[in-house]
Amino acid sequence: MNEAYRYFLIFLGALLIYNILLIRFIALCPLIGVSTQVETSIGMAMSVLFVMTMATTASWVAWNYILEPLGVGEFLYIPVFILIIASLVQFTEMFIKKVSPPLYRAMGIYLPLITTNCAVLAAATEAVKPGFLKLNVAYHFSLPEALIYTIGVALGFGLVLIVFACIRERLETSPVPHAFKGAPIAFIIAACLSLAFMGFANLLGL
Amino acid sequence: MEEQTTFWYEFKKGFILENPLMVLMVGLCSSLAISNRLENGIFMGISATFVLVFSNVIIAAIRKWIPDQIRIPIFIVVIASFVTIVDLALKAYFPPVYDRLGVWIPLIVVNCIILARAEGYAYKNNVKNALADGLGMGAGYTCVLLIMGFIRELLGTGKIVLFDKTLFNIAPPYNPPAIFILFPGAFLTFACLMALLNRYKMRKAE
């Protein structure tokens, strides 16, 4: 299997086949909580892409140059990764505030939320620490692979979030049975979308 | 006597009035993802309750010495240490369960329930109430997991398997629709449970 094709498989697997929201159920809170408007969903998706890429890079460096050589990775990876993510989020927030106030106003309110967004920790753990990845691809835990995987995960998150927000905007004006108003109907829609995404299963032998 | 009632009240509050999954809608991700089997629900419920109770107690005990500005990183470190204990214990004693739960164990760190209770409750209350709150929230979470796991495993596979023993088997003419143990089933089951609860509340309000 040539190199470019392998990268393509990793990307596609993370984006569609093992979609983080609908197939893996990671990060459902923002899906239900934030996705009421298309505009906010786009803001959230962009912030996640940004933080996730940085978090995986930092975790990869920490795992390969600090935790693994010292032999403490097995029992220190949880606190180390989560602290890296939390401080990165804080740092990003301060940096954006200083450099680009308009961008801060657009992204600002989502940034603190991302610390507790499970998707970031999940992507970092799966891409960096052996033993968690579910994809059926030869994966060597190198930095470019980890980055491609993470970008795939983040784009998959954004794609579903925006599609979901579009549907929910329509839902505002449609007649829904009384008991299903609000969150329950959102879950029913998620079920339908998830059903659609299951169509990607076993695509290209993944 | 007075003390006794507040303890019970705090416990009951987490279990029913403010059930984390059905009412507060936090910590949804893990509950939907792993509730395809009753057994997973038991292990996940116990792990999350363990982390919740101990982190609540520790944070309540040291709350007077935590500086306000850096409380979130401190909470996360406390929570991460207990999650590491669960992670290593499950890996050592129940390897098959650990394989099935996979990335969900490290993700307990960012499970919104635990951080929300640390920030919203344990940080402002004494140790005893925090203990009751942790137990109640944990029991409420576990209870919903068990209900979901029971419904999905029963409908999806036609039987209940617990610790390699079949407890329950529906007669052969029943052809189990596998959709219930797959991803869309989780959304559907949860939506129906929530709609039922809404209906019950509306009845009561009338």
Side-chain angles (χ1 to χ4, degrees):
Chain A
M1 209 191 308
N2 78 46
E3 203 67 352
Y5 183 61
R6 216 163 52 80
Y7 284 151
F8 173 71
L9 278 188
I10 291 173
F11 179 74
L12 199 71
L15 178 72
L16 292 178
I17 298 158
Y18 285 87
N19 185 282
I20 191 149
L21 281 171
L22 292 173
I23 300 296
R24 314 275 313 280
F25 297 119
I26 296 173
L28 282 181
C29 312
L31 180 71
I32 303 297
V34 179
S35 71
T36 42
Q37 281 173 337
V38 176
E39 213 168 296
T40 48
S41 303
I42 294 174
M44 184 77 183
M46 301 268 285
S47 330
V48 165
L49 176 64
F50 184 65
V51 173
M52 222 183 228
T53 318
M54 289 185 39
T56 303
T57 316
S59 308
W60 191 87
V61 171
W63 175 265
N64 283 288
Y65 289 102
I66 303 169
L67 294 177
E68 190 65 354
L70 293 178
V72 292
E74 203 54 52
F75 49 93
L76 272 186
Y77 76 99
I78 300 173
V80 168
F81 287 1
I82 189 73
L83 280 182
I84 286 176
I85 291 168
S87 40
L88 256 180
V89 170
Q90 198 81 56
F91 179 75
T92 316
E93 197 180 344
M94 290 190 302
F95 182 76
I96 294 179
K97 203 174 184 177
K98 197 97 187 166
V99 175
S100 161
L103 187 65
Y104 177 74
R105 274 196 296 280
M107 251 163 87
I109 47 168
Y110 307 109
L111 280 173
L113 284 178
I114 293 173
T115 318
T116 52
N117 185 334
C118 7
V120 181
L121 181 64
T125 317
E126 285 171 348
V128 173
K129 186 177 182 293
F132 284 112
L133 197 81
K134 288 264 164 56
L135 283 182
N136 188 18
V137 194
Y139 189 82
H140 311 304
F141 301 98
S142 68
L143 186 57
E145 277 178 338
L147 279 179
I148 284 172
Y149 179 76
T150 313
I151 292 172
V153 169
L155 289 180
F157 175 84
L159 175 74
V160 172
L161 199 68
I162 292 165
V163 168
F164 201 68
C166 295
I167 299 177
R168 274 184 98 175
E169 279 193 347
R170 285 289 185 98
L171 209 62
E172 297 273 300
T173 54
S174 35
V176 175
H178 215 63
F180 276 95
K181 274 229 163 73
I185 192 76
F187 278 102
I188 299 274
I189 286 170
C192 301
L193 277 180
S194 174
L195 207 55
F197 266 75
M198 274 182 68
F200 291 119
N202 293 328
L203 189 71
L204 299 171
L206 278 170
Chain B
M1 195 59 216
E2 181 82 299
E3 291 264 289
Q4 203 70 28
T5 43
T6 49
F7 192 86
W8 257 114
Y9 173 74
E10 297 300 341
F11 181 78
K12 244 181 23 197
K13 181 196 72 189
F15 195 65
I16 301 163
L17 295 178
E18 289 181 19
N19 186 298
L21 289 172
M22 308 299 279
V23 183
L24 301 180
M25 304 239 315
V26 289
L28 290 173
C29 338
S30 54
S31 54
L32 292 186
I34 53 92
S35 66
N36 55 353
R37 286 185 60 175
L38 189 61
E39 201 183 296
N40 290 355
I42 295 174
F43 277 99
M44 191 67 193
I46 293 173
S47 315
T49 310
F50 172 83
V51 176
L52 191 56
V53 167
F54 280 90
S55 58
N56 251 7
V57 166
I58 297 281
I59 288 166
I62 61 169
R63 71 184 186 281
K64 296 217 171 83
W65 296 291
I66 299 179
D68 211 37
Q69 297 87 346
I70 53 160
R71 63 183 193 284
I72 303 279
I74 292 180
F75 294 163
I76 288 178
V77 173
V78 172
I79 296 168
S81 345
F82 286 109
V83 175
T84 307
I85 295 174
V86 170
D87 187 61
L88 294 176
L90 274 184
K91 205 175 187 177
Y93 295 110
F94 303 100
V97 178
Y98 185 79
D99 276 349
R100 250 183 288 136
L101 295 181
V103 79
W104 289 105
I105 295 298
L107 284 186
I108 297 178
V109 180
V110 283
N111 190 320
C112 337
I113 300 176
I114 293 166
L115 197 65
R117 291 331 282 172
E119 162 81 11
Y121 193 88
Y123 190 53
K124 297 173 194 129
N125 286 279
N126 64 26
V127 175
K128 210 171 134 200
N129 284 350
L131 175 70
D133 181 75
L135 282 174
M137 284 285 162
Y141 176 77
T142 313
C143 189
V144 177
L145 277 191
L146 294 185
I147 296 173
M148 296 254 309
F150 184 78
I151 296 177
R152 288 180 64 193
E153 191 175 354
L154 190 64
L155 291 180
T157 62
K159 57 190 177 202
I160 299 283
V161 179
L162 204 60
F163 303 112
D164 298 327
K165 262 187 272 172
T166 309
L167 295 181
F168 214 82
N169 216 336
I170 303 181
Y174 175 72
N175 196 1
I179 188 169
F180 276 99
I181 48 168
L182 293 173
F183 322 102
F187 286 119
L188 272 182
T189 316
F190 193 72
C192 293
L193 278 179
M194 276 184 71
L196 269 179
L197 195 77
N198 279 352
R199 199 178 152 73
Y200 170 75
K201 274 187 192 155
M202 283 189 305
R203 279 270 175 86
K204 224 175 165 188
E206 279 170 19

